Amino acid sequence: MRAAAAELLDEGAPLPRFDDLTELTARLRVALRALVPQVEEVARERPEDDAERVRARSSARASVETARACLDAGPGSGLVSAKDHALSLAREVAGLCRHLEKLTGARTAEPA
């Protein structure tokens, strides 16, 4: 899913067909729904006294809220709004993967 998000975020990549975009959007939503609780759990478990971890945890929590807002939003009725929504979801998937990696110190597995 990370690769699909990166491909969608590539400014030089062509716009996917509407049906493909709809399918990718659904997959990105599934990935976000899986990543949000993972990032929340890992952020909660970080020690309070480690300044770097505290900053990372705070940033991760803000990203979780943004991801939730993206999940609450819909794609709209046209191709442009569907593309914009998919791009938002892709950015959030990529961002939550980075937060998970920073908080755990390990590369995240490909979400769903």
Side-chain angles (χ1 to χ4, degrees):
M1 186 54 24
R2 178 192 294 244
E7 187 175 320
L8 186 60
L9 291 169
D10 180 2
E11 292 181 16
L15 184 63
R17 293 179 325 120
F18 186 77
D19 290 342
D20 295 338
L21 187 61
T22 301
E23 179 184 331
L24 178 57
T25 297
R27 291 176 47 221
L28 288 166
R29 292 177 73 78
V30 167
L32 267 184
R33 284 189 186 108
L35 283 166
V36 164
Q38 285 180 300
V39 171
E40 286 179 317
E41 181 180 342
V42 171
R44 259 192 312 272
E45 294 173 352
R46 294 295 93 206
E48 292 290 334
D49 59 348
D50 182 344
E52 179 60 32
R53 296 291 187 184
V54 169
R55 281 191 296 278
R57 186 178 61 219
S58 176
S59 180
R61 286 180 179 156
S63 289
V64 162
E65 292 307 313
T66 303
R68 282 198 175 113
C70 282
L71 285 170
D72 289 343
S77 60
L79 181 58
V80 172
S81 63
K83 175 198 63 120
D84 290 344
H85 181 63
L87 287 170
S88 293
L89 294 170
R91 280 190 292 273
E92 295 310 316
V93 166
L96 288 180
C97 284
R98 284 191 303 272
H99 283 297
L100 202 53
E101 290 169 1
K102 188 165 192 162
L103 288 165
T104 63
R107 181 135 173 101
T108 55
E110 279 285 316

